[in-house]
Amino acid sequence: MKKSRSILIILTLLIWAGMFYYYLPALNIHSQESWMFFVVAIAVGLVLNFWPIFKVLFLVRNGDPVERGERWKTAKRLLAVPVALCIVYGVGTLLSSPILRASAYHQLLDVQTGDFANDIHEVDYDQIPILDRDSAAKLAEREMGSMVDMVSQYEVSPYFNQINYQNKPVRVTPLQYGDIIKWFTNRSTGIPAYISIDMTTQDVDLIKLEEGIKISPFEHFGRNLNRYIRFRYPTAMIHSYNFEINDDGVPYWVCAVEDKTIGLFGGTDIKGAIIINAATGDHQYYDVADVPTWVDKVYDSALLVEQYDYYGTLKNGFINSIFGQRGCLKSTEGYNYIALDDDVWVYTGVTSIGGDESNVGFVLMNSRTKETKYYQISGAKEISAMSSAEGQVQHLNYVATFPILLNIADEPTYFLSLKDNAGLVKKYAMVNIQKYQIVAIGDTVAECEKVYRNLMAGSGIETVDTSKAQTITGTISMMKDIVSEGNTYWYLMLEGNDALFEAKAKDNLEILKKQVGSSVTLEYVPQSADVNTVLSVK
């Protein structure tokens, strides 16, 4: 009997160890998954070690009533622990919920009011991401297909993460093993490369590593990323992990560490990050305030949007968010990313909770620091802008990407890419947020912006900041006229100057008297991509 009991205890411990090794729960009182794990683990242990009691109670219908009564008393004592855990779990969940803690949820996010023109500067064309995640994935697959030496062993992983690398928006993703057999034959060297996609030029690079990636979600046993973290940080609740590269191109996993700030299970937030060198396994925990600046994403986009929704809907309490809905705001149907000051910011529109077809403003949320700014600018919703852009090319059946926010001549503007059925970007669109009937389409970003500025000027919107006007005198080394949208533009270059100057003919008739070799004085405003807008010609 004692031998059988010892075998059952050893079997229970082995099953518990196997469950822990597989599910990897955090040893943290605030982890809901861990509570469920321990309830199940205790239940498994009780069934294994006290099966005769539960068998008589639940499976055997006949028997001595006195014996059944005694066994029922024993069963109740055995079940007291898992039942108590379930009760505490239920009560903890209720006391941590927005129903009772609306004010605390509202305060999860500190939202400041921003100034659009000052905070969001006009960007150069080489900093505007023209690809979305799906398009980047298609380009990566094509690049991988051309790598004959790798395509038989590795595949492109789904971990496409947008970062700022050397002041340009790129998406990076590691390769992954093709299957378990290919992992077994290649695990000694690890994953040999990652893919980088330039979001502005659509260039795809396969970056081969001197030392292969040996810590990743695609590994097994001790080198699996989740298991690697759990055995070194047993209490850490990992909210998400992202693949990033530092300024030298070294691959890392940035693992956001979750915290529960309201009650036992509520108020999900991020308190820090575990940064792991994907090749060597070197690791370090940082509090949020101390995370290195090369890291772009600590806060998951969905978490930031969720926190803003709490901020917008729970301002006047939970009941008001359901019934009266006075002053309630929420994020719109999607989000995107923009680059500001070498950080990645999550952008989403803000609309009333009543489901209006327009935005009352938008928010930008820093993915590394959680700094949040709200801009009260009413206008079209992103979905409406996408429909307007698609309507301009409906004969081509192009599909618009979710827009990003740009500043064009101090006008908040939606920028969208238009993709064909193969997922390739074919055209670009700009839609004025406040005057959403202004929709410009172009084959290049530069052409699209030019058409957009002309449409705004035709609608009475000043598109050139004359306060930044400069003057230059020189000898014309090149002149060429181009007709666009029914208007004639002259493009000039001056000797000893690589800049290009654009003058609209009907606004600068003096240019008709000039030719190559003529001396000229230009009053101009510097614009993006080295094209300067001419205000006057003398």
Side-chain angles (χ1 to χ4, degrees):
M1 186 68 177
K2 290 184 178 179
K3 183 177 180 179
S4 298
R5 177 64 63 187
S6 298
I7 292 174
L8 286 175
I9 292 174
I10 293 173
L11 178 61
T12 301
L13 293 175
L14 289 174
I15 291 176
W16 282 355
M19 291 173 63
F20 182 84
Y21 190 81
Y22 182 80
Y23 291 105
L24 301 172
L27 302 180
N28 194 309
I29 193 174
H30 295 291
S31 171
Q32 291 175 288
E33 293 79 10
S34 297
W35 279 72
M36 299 307 299
F37 171 84
F38 286 114
V39 168
V40 172
I42 292 173
V44 169
L46 291 177
V47 170
L48 282 176
N49 289 274
F50 300 96
W51 173 243
I53 294 176
F54 294 104
K55 179 180 179 181
V56 171
L57 285 177
F58 299 110
L59 299 180
V60 180
R61 298 298 180 186
N62 300 319
D64 185 356
V66 176
E67 180 183 3
R68 289 176 64 83
E70 290 297 324
R71 289 180 179 265
W72 176 243
K73 292 179 181 179
T74 303
K76 287 195 293 184
R77 289 194 292 269
L78 293 174
L79 292 172
V81 174
V83 170
L85 288 176
C86 289
I87 292 173
V88 173
Y89 176 85
V91 173
T93 300
L94 177 62
L95 295 178
S96 307
S97 70
I99 298 175
L100 301 179
R101 305 292 299 277
S103 177
Y105 275 86
H106 169 71
Q107 296 172 11
L108 280 173
L109 197 63
D110 180 23
V111 180
Q112 303 294 323
T113 300
D115 183 282
F116 176 80
N118 289 331
D119 294 345
I120 305 175
H121 305 292
E122 293 194 45
V123 296
D124 294 331
Y125 298 143
D126 61 358
Q127 294 180 322
I128 299 176
I130 62 177
L131 297 173
D132 61 1
R133 185 191 181 283
D134 293 339
S135 296
K138 289 182 181 294
L139 292 176
E141 291 287 353
R142 292 187 179 187
E143 177 70 14
M144 191 64 192
S146 66
M147 298 293 171
V148 180
D149 59 329
M150 290 191 182
V151 71
S152 64
Q153 300 296 310
Y154 303 96
E155 299 174 352
V156 179
S157 81
Y159 289 91
F160 287 90
N161 186 36
Q162 182 169 326
I163 64 172
N164 281 347
Y165 180 62
Q166 297 179 350
N167 296 319
K168 296 193 72 174
V170 301
R171 282 188 182 269
V172 289
T173 183
L175 302 183
Q176 64 179 16
Y177 301 103
D179 52 46
I180 185 68
I181 302 300
K182 293 167 184 175
W183 166 79
F184 188 79
T185 56
N186 292 284
R187 62 189 176 88
S188 60
T189 56
I191 297 171
Y194 64 85
I195 290 179
S196 173
I197 304 103
D198 191 315
M199 303 290 286
T200 63
T201 64
Q202 306 189 54
D203 292 336
V204 183
D205 294 315
L206 183 74
I207 311 299
K208 295 185 179 180
L209 301 166
E210 293 183 4
E211 184 174 359
I213 295 173
K214 297 184 178 66
I215 307 299
S216 74
F218 325 116
E219 294 285 349
H220 299 276
F221 306 114
R223 287 184 2 190
N224 176 269
L225 179 61
N226 291 304
R227 198 164 288 119
Y228 192 85
I229 295 171
R230 180 56 60 232
F231 290 142
R232 288 159 180 79
Y233 300 89
T235 64
M237 298 183 292
I238 304 302
H239 182 81
S240 62
Y241 45 75
N242 299 289
F243 182 78
E244 296 200 27
I245 57 176
N246 68 4
D247 295 333
D248 298 320
V250 178
Y252 284 85
W253 293 101
V254 179
C255 310
V257 180
E258 184 178 292
D259 190 19
K260 300 295 184 179
T261 62
I262 302 174
L264 196 58
F265 303 124
T268 301
D269 208 348
I270 304 300
K271 67 177 183 179
I274 300 169
I275 300 179
I276 302 174
N277 186 307
T280 66
D282 293 340
H283 54 88
Q284 178 68 49
Y285 170 80
Y286 297 90
D287 289 332
V288 166
D290 301 324
V291 170
T293 55
W294 63 262
V295 173
D296 287 310
K297 193 172 183 181
V298 175
Y299 288 87
D300 182 73
S301 306
L303 175 62
L304 292 174
V305 172
E306 177 185 77
Q307 289 194 355
Y308 182 79
D309 284 340
Y310 285 139
Y311 173 86
T313 58
L314 299 177
K315 179 179 180 179
N316 296 308
F318 180 80
I319 294 178
N320 177 73
S321 71
I322 301 299
F323 298 105
Q325 298 182 338
R326 178 173 55 86
C328 290
L329 301 174
K330 66 175 182 178
S331 59
T332 49
E333 295 86 347
Y335 55 82
N336 213 325
Y337 305 94
I338 65 174
L340 292 174
D341 302 325
D342 200 33
D343 279 327
V344 173
W345 294 67
V346 178
Y347 153 81
T348 185
V350 176
T351 186
S352 66
I353 203 170
D356 291 345
E357 292 303 315
S358 61
N359 286 351
V360 298
F362 55 87
V363 289
L364 296 179
M365 298 171 281
N366 191 305
S367 294
R368 179 171 58 87
T369 65
K370 205 176 76 166
E371 179 185 359
T372 301
K373 294 184 178 181
Y374 171 74
Y375 301 87
Q376 187 173 350
I377 299 175
S378 60
K381 293 178 72 172
E382 296 90 341
I383 298 298
S384 299
M386 293 167 67
S387 298
S388 296
E390 290 170 354
Q392 296 289 315
V393 291
Q394 56 183 339
H395 59 291
L396 299 173
N397 294 320
Y398 290 166
V399 177
T401 60
F402 193 85
I404 63 173
L405 183 70
L406 295 183
N407 177 348
I408 306 294
D410 287 343
E411 286 287 315
T413 302
Y414 289 134
F415 174 81
L416 313 90
S417 298
L418 294 164
K419 304 188 297 182
D420 62 12
N421 292 332
L424 300 178
V425 175
K426 294 297 185 181
K427 289 181 179 292
Y428 307 96
M430 291 183 179
V431 182
N432 191 282
I433 293 179
Q434 294 175 300
K435 295 184 178 181
Y436 42 88
Q437 72 275 11
I438 300 177
V439 182
I441 305 292
D443 292 328
T444 65
V445 179
E447 179 184 339
C448 182
E449 183 190 14
K450 182 177 179 180
V451 174
Y452 180 66
R453 286 179 179 272
N454 288 338
L455 289 174
M456 286 197 296
S459 298
I461 300 174
E462 179 60 55
T463 61
V464 177
D465 186 358
T466 56
S467 66
K468 298 179 180 178
Q470 301 177 23
T471 301
I472 187 171
T473 299
T475 301
I476 298 175
S477 61
M478 184 277 289
M479 284 186 70
K480 184 175 180 59
D481 63 305
I482 295 176
V483 177
S484 177
E485 299 291 318
N487 294 302
T488 300
Y489 294 86
W490 282 94
Y491 290 87
L492 298 83
M493 293 186 70
L494 304 181
E495 291 182 359
N497 194 319
D498 294 332
L500 194 63
F501 298 88
E502 177 191 71
K504 194 172 184 179
K506 72 175 185 178
D507 296 334
N508 299 278
L509 296 178
E510 186 68 20
I511 198 171
L512 301 178
K513 303 176 183 179
K514 303 295 183 179
Q515 58 185 350
V516 173
S518 297
S519 178
V520 67
T521 298
L522 304 176
E523 183 185 14
Y524 69 96
V525 174
Q527 300 292 340
S528 58
D530 293 327
V531 178
N532 303 302
T533 300
V534 174
L535 301 179
S536 67
V537 179
K538 297 180 181 179

